Every structure is written in C-alpha cells, then in structure tokens.
Amino acid sequence: MKVFDTKIIAISNQKGGVGKTTSAVNIASYLAVAEIPTLLVDMDPQSNASTGVGVDAAKLNGSIYSVLIGENSIQSSIQETDLDFLHVLPASKDLVGAEIELVSMYSREYKLKKGLDEIKGKYKYIIIDSPPSLGLLTINVLSAANSVLIPIQCEYFALEGLSQLLNTIQLVQRHLNKALEIEGILITMYDNRLNLSRQVVQEVKEYFGDKVYKTFIKRNVRLGEAPSHGKPILLYDATSMGAQNYMSLVSEMLAEND
C-alpha cells in the first residue's frame, strides 16, 4: 500500500456565510475525482460538510466528536462516500459540547492532531472544514494543519473580523504549530457585474498579494442547491459555473503543491 506525504489543509474563516463548507466539500471532491486519496474532516458542529457528501448524521458509528474525547478510534469513525477516493470523518451535533469537555483535558489543543497522526500517510490530502468561531475546536484544527485556506466573500465588511483570524493564526504559529502557513486566499460569491466585487478583490489583493488565487468562485445557484441533495457540485451539476470554478481552483492548488 502506498504511503503518502500527507498535506493537511484547514479551510477557515470565523465569519459565517463565506463559502467555507462549500469550498471544503468541493475541493475535497475534485481532489478525489483526480484519483488523489482524500479525507474530508468535518469540525463544524452544524455538520454541513458531512451531509454535503451524503452522510446521514442519524446513522453514524463514530464521529469526530468521539475521536476527540477518546471514545472511538479514528479508523472506525471514517466513512466512505460516493466518490472512490474520498472518505469523510463526519461531525455530529455532540461536537457543540466538545469545546467544554476539551477544556479540562491534557494537551487539549492537540487532540485532533493526535487522531490525524494515526492515519497520516493513508491520504495525500486531508481537508478540514473549521467551525465558524475561534474557540478550542478551531485551535485544534490550526494545530493539526500544515496550512490554512481562507475564503473571503465579495460583500461589504469582507475583511472585517479577518484580523482576528490572522491574530489567531499568528498565536498558533508562535505557540502550537510553528510550521503553519497560509495556503491561499479564495474569493467567493464574486459577481463581475458589481463594483463591490471588484473593490473587494482589489482590497484583498492589496492585503495578501500573490496569496490570492487566480480562480474566483462566482455566485452560482447550483452551488447553493447541491448540499440539500447531499452531493458535491460535480455530482449534482458538473456543467454549472460553480463546478467549473472549483475544478479550476483545484487545478491551481495542485500546480502550486507540485
């Protein structure tokens, strides 16, 4: 069995509605379609990434929650999906309580890292959907990841709250994970007819320079519909603009990671 040099990418922005989960699900799916063994880890208590790849939360044998608190092994909690090369470590509603339970645990910031260390080498990429907050679950994600991909939506106040996330990343780099890097900045919900979209892009590029992906995720109805069918966009509507955007993004990511 081939052993991979695993790369762990966290998709994080504590601001809701920026396309974080949509990006996690679709990046992981396109990596899998390229026949790259990929694991999607759902660290968001809303468990939208899990349902977005067709996992039924009512029928879970184990979840990321049971891994974090030491109840289940990570191997027994991973599930298959409709895509051959994509596995998922699902979330359950119990994850809400994990923040409190982790507080009193020894080396609490490294619970996720410890779990993922057991399966490193089995996957080429591990994509983590972070919770929309900067609590202990997100600290676990950033402590386990090699890099962070930050989605930013084209709306007013797009950069608001981002300094908080960047401060958290710096704190994690200083104290918990010195190797953590920014993978890239992803512009989401882009509409080239709107001045606002162009202004946001300009602001983000001034701030982050060449860390901004050339691919933008445009506003697309089909992207919004896909999760309610429990499918990533490539299985729901492979010809849609959203599908083309994410395919292009993953090509760009793979070229940079070669």
Side-chain angles (χ1 to χ4, degrees):
M1 190 179 136
K2 189 172 178 185
V3 176
F4 295 96
D5 184 11
T6 304
K7 180 160 194 184
I8 303 175
I9 302 176
I11 301 191
S12 196
N13 189 334
Q14 81 277 18
K15 205 167 181 228
V18 298
K20 180 180 58 64
T21 300
T22 300
S23 296
V25 165
N26 290 304
I27 288 168
S29 301
Y30 272 107
L31 288 168
V33 164
E35 300 192 351
I36 299 169
T38 303
L39 175 68
L40 174 64
V41 179
D42 191 352
M43 280 288 280
D44 186 341
Q46 295 168 56
S47 62
N48 292 338
S50 306
T51 53
V53 291
V55 169
D56 184 348
K59 297 177 182 168
L60 295 180
N61 301 325
S63 67
I64 186 63
Y65 168 76
S66 52
V67 173
L68 291 173
I69 64 161
E71 209 172 76
N72 280 33
S73 75
I74 193 163
Q75 281 95 340
S76 67
S77 304
I78 288 172
Q79 304 212 2
E80 294 182 351
T81 70
D82 291 338
L83 296 169
D84 287 346
F85 288 84
L86 179 62
H87 289 169
V88 61
L89 181 51
S92 62
K93 299 285 179 275
D94 301 339
L95 199 52
V96 175
E99 290 270 358
I100 298 150
E101 290 180 58
L102 286 170
V103 167
S104 57
M105 288 185 179
Y106 175 70
S107 69
R108 59 193 180 186
E109 299 90 353
Y110 292 115
K111 293 295 177 191
L112 178 61
K113 183 181 189 305
K114 190 165 166 277
L116 294 181
D117 280 348
E118 289 177 35
I119 51 158
K120 258 189 165 178
K122 195 176 167 189
Y123 301 96
K124 177 81 173 131
Y125 286 98
I126 296 176
I127 305 294
I128 310 176
D129 185 25
S130 309
S133 67
L134 291 177
L136 205 41
L137 290 178
T138 298
I139 299 294
N140 262 270
V141 171
L142 297 176
S143 298
N146 299 113
S147 62
V148 191
L149 187 154
I150 305 171
I152 296 176
Q153 89 286 32
C154 286
E155 286 171 9
Y156 285 110
F157 313 124
L159 296 176
E160 197 183 63
L162 204 58
S163 58
Q164 241 183 320
L165 174 63
L166 296 172
N167 285 342
T168 303
I169 290 170
Q170 281 174 341
L171 283 170
V172 169
Q173 283 169 329
R174 206 170 302 143
H175 301 289
L176 300 166
N177 181 3
K178 287 183 172 54
L180 184 66
E181 295 178 344
I182 290 188
E183 179 75 20
I185 309 298
L186 176 63
I187 301 286
T188 62
M189 302 176 202
Y190 180 77
D191 186 339
N192 55 4
R193 296 167 304 182
L194 301 179
N195 280 336
L196 177 62
S197 280
R198 294 196 287 274
Q199 283 164 5
V200 170
V201 168
Q202 197 179 336
E203 259 184 80
V204 172
K205 282 185 169 171
E206 277 170 21
Y207 198 90
F208 290 102
D210 60 4
K211 279 286 177 198
V212 183
Y213 288 112
K214 293 181 182 70
T215 306
F216 299 164
I217 309 300
K218 295 180 179 156
R219 284 193 178 279
N220 181 249
V221 174
R222 306 298 272 170
L223 264 183
E225 292 171 353
S228 63
H229 295 267
K231 290 179 177 180
I233 191 64
L234 63 89
L235 292 180
Y236 180 63
D237 185 352
T239 61
S240 66
M241 175 68 76
Q244 303 300 315
N245 290 165
Y246 276 108
M247 185 164 70
S248 164
L249 171 68
V250 169
S251 299
E252 197 178 331
M253 288 173 72
L254 288 173
E256 284 178 13
N257 278 290
D258 250 4

